[in-house]
Structures are given as structure tokens and as C-alpha cells.
Amino acid sequence: MARVTIAQVAAAAGVSKATASRALNDHPDVGAGAVARVRAAARNLGFVPSASAVRLARGSQRTVGLLVSSLAWPWMLQVLGGVAAEAEARGFTLVLQTLSRGEKSLTAFLHQVQSNAIDGIVAIEPPGGLPALTELHERRGLPIVMIDDRVSRPRFPSVATTNERGAYEVARHLAETGARRIGVITGPPEYTFCAERDRGWRRALREHGIELRDELVLRTDMSDRRSYDATGELLARDPDLDAVLAVGDVVALAALRRLREDGVRVPDDVAVVGFDDIPAAALAVPSLTTVRQPMYAMGEVAVRLLIDLIGGAAAPAEPLVTPTELIVRESSTRH
């Protein structure tokens, strides 16, 4: 399908190309009526400004933004490390914005963007922030790259990992060690990575003749407290449980703590596996079998892609994928 041009938008709105361009870039010398007509035409035609045109209109500040919900998740610092290192290597300044104050934080960040202080954004999808990011991308042509989106597949470029394959490999590993009565502690099904990992686990276990029992699949908010409680609930529902599949390492570490406190030996009585390979996974006792999610590399790749887009490169049609890796440690290795 041919790309909609600014000339087509201008013709539909009944204005010149120059006026259409100024209207889409919020120049103050365009009347409100013309701005409304141009924006309506752009929306109806599905017009997305090219990154190179936007850069020329605004002037590059050589500044990129990183928008995240919070830095509380252990793997978030790995993302930040990759983003910061690559931005510095490419000669760009990095602006970090968390949403610790919710809507106020998002509004403050959007004000920075709209004042043309930021050339593009790397984002880990913020709760409630997708509409604003989509508006910036589709109406203003601001380059945006999403990392491992949590809820949806937005209409701008993204960097992803092999969630389903990683989950498949770790569940297959459990089955091959002899686990049969397996409990799962996962997260909300609307989170993309949870749904992908759920599919991977189920496929691997089916191939080994194991069906997950519905009463042994518990959905939580993935917090330490809730994961600790869910582990106790799994044990109450099946005293003969022999393995726990955790959607993330934070969940798995909480499970290890609960099992230890209940006198359950890991891995001799119950094996435990996680996902992410946060630094604490290797230091746990026993050390945690997990799936290494390449968060640092994902940050690097996201910045490279973003800077290419700022320079006018075409957006890739599919997410850029960095592969996971199964890391086998003590928590699943029965003797």
C-alpha cells in the first residue's frame, strides 16, 4: 500500500503543502480552523509523517527519551544500562522518565517532547500511556520504539524476545527431569509476555504427555508477597506437587523462600524454575534455573533502531527479536 503524502493531506484539507506541514508541527501561525481540517484529513487518510521530515522541521537535539513505569523491577536496570551505553556511544543525550507520580509524570514528559526537546522515545509500555504515545507517533511523526510490550502490539516499531520459545525450553527441561505434578504461578493474561510464556509451557508439557491442571495455574500480580502466598496455595491444593513454573524470577525467588520456610526441599521435593535471569537468580540458595532474557541487549538494539528512525530509516515491518537462553542451575537439578 502506497504511503500517504503530505500533498494528499493538504489537498483533502484544502490548504497548501506548507500550511499542512506547519499545522501538523504545531506552528503558531496557522489558524485553528486550518489545523483542525489538516489533522482530520491526516487522521482519515492514515498519514504518518516521515521521521526525516519531522527532524528537518524541528531540528535535531540529539536527545532520546526512555519512558518506563518504574525502576523497581530488577531487570529494568539492565534495560537502562543498555539504552544508556548505546545512546552515549552514538553521541546522544538520554532523558529518563519514570511514572512514579502517574499522570503527572506522564504529562511532564509529554510537555518535554512537545517542546521539541526530544528526538525520539524508547518505551517500556507505561500503564495508560499508550494512547499518548500513539498520538505522538501517528500525528506528529515522533519516532518511538517499544521494548517487550506488556499489554499490546502497538503500531510502531518494537524490540522483543522469544518468550514462548524460552518458556517451552524451561518446561521441557522440567519434564525431562521427571516432573509431572506441576504448578504454575503466572501473571495477568492480558500481558503479552504472560500469554506467550503460558503458550510455551503448555506446548512443551503436552508433548511430554502432561496437562496442566486448572487448579494449579494461579494468576497473580507477580509481586513478592502474592507469589509467596500463591506457593503456599499450590502446596495446599496438591501436597504431592513436584515442580513450580514461575513467570519471572521475582516470583520464583518468593516461591523458593516459601518452600524453604515450609520445610520443602528444592529441588529434591519440588523443583523451581523462573524467567529473566536477574542477578539474584545466580546468588539464590539453591541457585535458580531460569531463562535468560537479554534485557541489556534489548536496550542497545532499541536505541540503535530509534536513532536509525530519527535519521529517516524505514521502520521494520516486524519486531526485532533478541533470543532467550535456558540457564540450568541447582533449583531443578535432582540428584
Side-chain angles (χ1 to χ4, degrees), residues 62-78:
R62 297 194 70 79
T63 299
V64 295
L66 173 61
L67 180 63
V68 300
S69 298
S70 126
L71 295 177
W73 283 93
W75 51 258
M76 193 69 77
L77 293 179
Q78 297 177 54

Side-chain angles (χ1 to χ4, degrees), residues 253 256 266-267 272 280-290 327-333:
L253 293 173
L256 285 179
V266 177
V272 177
L283 302 176
V285 180
S287 57
L288 182 64
T289 291
T290 186
I327 307 295
V328 176
R329 298 194 180 105
E330 297 168 340
S331 69
S332 66
T333 309

Side-chain angles (χ1 to χ4, degrees), residues 12-42:
V15 299
S16 68
K17 283 174 57 177
T19 297
S21 178
R22 289 197 299 271
L24 291 172
N25 283 285
D26 295 330
H27 281 262
D29 60 346
V30 182
V35 169
R37 293 198 308 277
V38 169
R39 290 180 179 175

Side-chain angles (χ1 to χ4, degrees), residues 80-129:
L80 175 58
V83 168
E86 189 63 24
E88 182 178 349
R90 300 287 291 267
F92 276 70
T93 299
L94 176 66
V95 174
L96 170 64
Q97 178 69 56
T98 67
L99 297 182
S100 57
R101 296 182 301 132
E103 188 66 29
K104 289 183 179 179
S105 298
L106 181 60
T107 299
F109 181 69
L110 294 177
H111 179 74
Q112 279 189 289
V113 174
Q114 290 164 351
S115 66
N116 298 336
I118 293 174
D119 297 317
I121 299 170
V122 172
I124 295 180
E125 185 172 324

Side-chain angles (χ1 to χ4, degrees), residues 20-306:
S21 178
R22 289 197 299 271
L24 291 172
N25 283 285
D26 295 330
H27 281 262
D29 60 346
V30 182
V35 169
R37 293 198 308 277
V38 169
R39 290 180 179 175
R43 187 167 53 251
N44 293 338
L45 293 172
F47 173 72
V48 177
S50 71
S52 57
V54 172
R55 182 170 57 86
L56 288 171
R58 294 178 177 170
S60 176
Q61 304 300 313
R62 297 194 70 79
T63 299
V64 295
L66 173 61
L67 180 63
V68 300
S69 298
S70 126
L71 295 177
W73 283 93
W75 51 258
M76 193 69 77
L77 293 179
Q78 297 177 54
V79 176
L80 175 58
V83 168
E86 189 63 24
E88 182 178 349
R90 300 287 291 267
F92 276 70
T93 299
L94 176 66
V95 174
L96 170 64
Q97 178 69 56
T98 67
L99 297 182
S100 57
R101 296 182 301 132
E103 188 66 29
K104 289 183 179 179
S105 298
L106 181 60
T107 299
F109 181 69
L110 294 177
H111 179 74
Q112 279 189 289
V113 174
Q114 290 164 351
S115 66
N116 298 336
I118 293 174
D119 297 317
I121 299 170
V122 172
I124 295 180
E125 185 172 324
L130 187 58
L133 293 178
T134 301
E135 167 82 358
L136 287 172
H137 176 68
E138 294 188 348
R139 185 174 68 80
R140 296 174 59 91
L142 186 77
I144 296 176
V145 174
M146 191 73 76
I147 293 180
D148 197 31
D149 59 286
R150 291 170 48 179
V151 178
S152 57
R153 294 294 186 196
R155 289 181 290 175
F156 34 81
S158 63
V159 176
T161 192
T162 51
N163 280 300
E164 185 171 345
R165 190 183 81 183
Y168 174 89
E169 289 175 347
V170 76
R172 181 179 63 184
H173 163 72
L174 269 186
E176 289 174 349
T177 66
R180 288 297 179 270
R181 302 175 77 91
I182 299 172
V184 171
I185 306 175
T186 186
E190 63 270 20
Y191 283 10
T192 303
F193 73 87
C194 290
E196 290 174 343
R197 293 175 195 179
D198 288 350
R199 288 197 299 270
W201 293 326
R202 291 179 185 278
R203 181 162 58 88
L205 296 179
R206 277 197 305 270
E207 290 178 6
H208 286 78
I210 304 169
E211 286 293 333
L212 288 177
R213 292 156 51 191
D214 289 343
E215 68 271 20
L216 296 183
V217 178
L218 302 184
R219 295 198 177 275
T220 73
D221 61 3
M222 299 178 290
S223 67
D224 178 85
R225 177 74 257 173
R226 195 55 198 96
S227 302
Y228 176 94
D229 292 342
T231 305
E233 191 171 341
L234 286 176
L235 289 172
R237 292 184 180 191
D238 187 349
D240 295 322
L241 194 77
D242 61 14
V244 174
L245 274 164
V247 72
D249 287 349
V250 170
V251 175
L253 293 173
L256 285 179
R257 182 162 60 91
R258 178 60 185 262
L259 292 168
R260 181 172 60 250
E261 292 178 6
D262 285 0
V264 178
R265 298 172 302 165
V266 177
D268 295 337
D269 299 327
V270 176
V272 177
V273 299
F275 204 113
D276 291 330
D277 197 28
I278 62 176
L283 302 176
V285 180
S287 57
L288 182 64
T289 291
T290 186
V291 176
R292 179 171 294 157
Q293 187 171 200
M295 301 307 297
Y296 189 96
M298 292 171 75
E300 291 180 307
V301 171
V303 172
R304 286 190 212 116
L305 174 57
L306 181 65

